[in-house]
């Protein structure tokens, strides 16, 4: 892995742009990077290289252990995320293993986290688009949303807001997901997995 302090990490929250999608299960990636932006004390701005909003800053305590990080929210809709992410990757010269996708995951129970490097897309259109654009060897922070109840279609489920019951835990879950991203960037995948995989 590149450990050049000048080489940034690119942390991508996956979601759909627009107010009508803001509270959707599919947008938990946006929620997590919004919280990370708040912690870094900055605001997202439109980026000239790709259809994305970005924030450049540092993660971790000030000093040599902190890391240069670019937070990004693709503004292209979920199933076209790969184009903007790849444009940012080229612009910032980020190696694939320093890219982190934060996304919703159907096959994991709600409010459960799993971190991994590489792998399949599990039918997730945002990951499918990213993998097609640049290969699969990037990190994933998988935020469990569980499976749709009864006969509800997956597409309907992910584009619905979190239920009132789920919302009771949502702030805690987003906070924990942001902690996991920070741990991954600052301390590495193994440490983050042992602390946050449940």
């Amino acid at each position: 892995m590149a450990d050049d302090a000048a080489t940034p990490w690119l942390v991508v929250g996956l979601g759909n742009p627009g107010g009508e999608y803001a509270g959707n299960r599919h947008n938990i990636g946006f929620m997590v990077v919004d919280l990370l932006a708040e912690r870094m004390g900055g605001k997202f701005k439109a980026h000239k290289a790709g259809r994305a909003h970005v924030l450049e800053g540092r993660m971790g305590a000030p000093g040599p252990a902190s890391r240069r990080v670019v937070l990004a929210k693709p503004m292209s809709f979920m199933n076209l995320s790969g184009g903007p992410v790849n444009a940012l990757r080229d612009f910032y010269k980020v190696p694939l293993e320093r890219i982190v996708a934060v996304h919703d995951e159907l096959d994991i129970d709600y409010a459960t986290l799993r971190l991994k490097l590489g792998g399949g897309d599990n039918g997730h259109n945002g990951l499918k688009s990213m993998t097609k654009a640049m290969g699969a060897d990037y990190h994933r922070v998988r935020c469990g949303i569980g499976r749709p109840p009864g006969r509800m279609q997956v597409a309907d489920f992910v584009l619905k807001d979190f239920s009132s019951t789920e919302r009771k835990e949502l702030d805690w879950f987003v906070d924990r997901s942001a902690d996991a991203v920070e741990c991954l960037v600052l301390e590495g995948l193994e440490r983050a997995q042992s602390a946050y995989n449940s």
Side-chain angles (χ1 to χ4, degrees):
M1 176 183 285
D3 67 358
D4 171 11
T7 305
W9 283 76
L10 175 59
V11 177
V12 181
L14 293 180
N16 286 310
E20 69 272 36
Y21 299 106
N24 289 180
R25 293 182 177 93
H26 224 15
N27 270 41
I28 194 161
F30 274 17
M31 297 173 197
V32 173
V33 294
D34 281 341
L35 178 58
L36 287 166
E38 211 176 286
R39 290 181 181 183
M40 284 163 63
K43 294 235 183 308
F44 282 98
K45 293 185 175 70
H47 195 273
K48 59 180 183 279
R51 289 188 317 276
H53 289 171
V54 303
L55 166 63
E56 299 176 44
R58 298 196 79 82
M59 204 175 263
S66 76
R67 293 280 177 271
R68 193 175 155 221
V69 172
V70 178
L71 301 178
K73 298 193 290 188
M75 291 287 127
S76 57
F77 287 96
M78 182 69 86
N79 57 353
L80 299 170
S81 302
V85 176
N86 208 23
L88 292 172
R89 174 194 171 204
D90 287 346
F91 182 86
Y92 290 105
K93 301 183 172 39
V94 182
L96 202 49
E97 74 273 9
R98 282 205 178 194
I99 296 175
V100 183
V102 185
H103 63 92
D104 57 307
E105 178 65 69
L106 288 159
D107 284 340
I108 302 175
D109 290 342
Y110 177 64
T112 301
L113 276 175
R114 300 268 164 77
L115 289 84
K116 70 174 189 174
L117 174 63
D121 57 54
N122 224 9
H124 191 289
N125 289 329
L127 296 181
K128 199 174 283 181
S129 178
M130 281 180 64
T131 297
K132 189 176 174 198
M134 58 194 193
D137 292 331
Y138 51 91
H139 287 90
R140 295 100 192 277
V141 174
R142 305 158 72 206
C143 305
I145 60 167
R147 282 258 157 211
R151 297 199 172 157
M152 189 190 285
Q153 294 295 310
V154 164
D156 295 335
F157 179 69
V158 299
L159 293 175
K160 275 201 171 23
D161 285 2
F162 287 98
S163 70
S164 53
T165 311
E166 288 169 333
R167 278 200 295 273
K168 289 178 186 146
E169 272 189 285
L170 186 58
D171 286 349
W172 171 85
F173 185 31
V174 169
D175 196 61
R176 185 171 165 78
S177 302
D179 290 348
V181 172
E182 289 178 343
C183 186
L184 169 61
V185 168
L186 296 169
E187 301 181 55
L189 180 62
E190 254 175 67
R191 175 81 190 86
Q193 283 175 325
S194 67
Y196 293 97
N197 276 13
S198 41

